[in-house]
């Protein structure tokens, strides 16, 4: 499916999510907007916890919301973030979020890293996580 990606809309939705971040420890807010192949948008923000381990990134929050509603095919995600709600730097997904993306997305899945709706870069999943461990690599997946 060759879908037109509404880049500026995704970035704007991700920017709106910064206000919902719960970050009393790092003060580093992150927002994400995930586009399904059906054209639906799921949003997420980062949520910290005093124990750190139970914290969740904005990207995974968006993915888990979508997956929990039965969506499993995705086209793109926009990610914005920075200290105290600023977006003066590009905010790349962490390794755990990249691995979640590999689980549910094709290698041409688009990651839009933005400072604003007019200032962004676009990478595909294979560019940000080359040589990934993906569902096809699971033990027995290729067994005959």
């Amino acid at each position: 499916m060759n879908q037109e990606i509404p880049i500026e809309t995704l970035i704007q939705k991700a920017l709106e999510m910064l206000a919902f971040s719960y970050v009393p420890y790092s003060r580093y807010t992150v927002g994400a907007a995930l586009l399904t192949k059906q054209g639906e948008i799921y949003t997420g923000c980062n949520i910290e916890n005093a124990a750190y381990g139970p914290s969740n990134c904005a990207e995974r929050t968006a993915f888990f919301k979508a997956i929990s509603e039965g969506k499993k095919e995705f086209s793109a995600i926009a990610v914005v973030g920075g200290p105290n709600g600023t977006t003066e730097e590009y905010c790349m997904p962490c390794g755990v979020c990249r691995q979640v993306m590999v689980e549910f997305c094709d290698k041409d899945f688009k990651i839009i890293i933005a400072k604003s709706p007019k200032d962004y870069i676009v990478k595909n999943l294979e560019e940000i996580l080359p040589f990934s461990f993906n569902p096809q690599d699971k033990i027995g997946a290729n067994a005959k």
Side-chain angles (χ1 to χ4, degrees), residues 111-128:
I111 299 95
I112 304 152
I113 308 305
K115 296 179 189 179
S116 74
K118 301 290 184 193
D119 185 356
Y120 60 87
I121 57 175
V122 179
K123 298 288 184 182
N124 67 42
L125 187 51
E126 191 166 36
E127 288 176 297
I128 70 164

Side-chain angles (χ1 to χ4, degrees), residues 46-69:
N46 57 327
I47 303 163
E48 294 180 346
N49 187 286
Y52 293 111
S55 297
N56 203 51
C57 297
E59 301 92 310
R60 284 182 285 139
T61 299
F63 268 96
F64 296 161
K65 284 168 65 175
I67 293 162
S68 73
E69 293 186 22

Side-chain angles (χ1 to χ4, degrees), residues 74-131:
F74 306 102
S75 298
I77 192 167
V79 181
V80 299
N84 300 309
T86 64
T87 57
E88 297 169 3
E89 300 174 358
Y90 294 119
C91 177
M92 290 296 287
C94 75
V96 174
C97 288
R98 294 175 196 208
Q99 187 60 48
V100 168
M101 291 176 195
V102 166
E103 184 71 21
F104 293 99
C105 303
D106 299 329
K107 291 181 181 194
D108 64 346
F109 175 79
K110 302 297 182 216
I111 299 95
I112 304 152
I113 308 305
K115 296 179 189 179
S116 74
K118 301 290 184 193
D119 185 356
Y120 60 87
I121 57 175
V122 179
K123 298 288 184 182
N124 67 42
L125 187 51
E126 191 166 36
E127 288 176 297
I128 70 164
L129 190 58
F131 308 107

Side-chain angles (χ1 to χ4, degrees), residues 33-51:
L34 176 65
L35 180 66
T36 69
K37 287 191 177 180
Q38 295 76 31
E40 299 163 294
I41 297 173
Y42 287 83
T43 57
C45 63
N46 57 327
I47 303 163
E48 294 180 346
N49 187 286

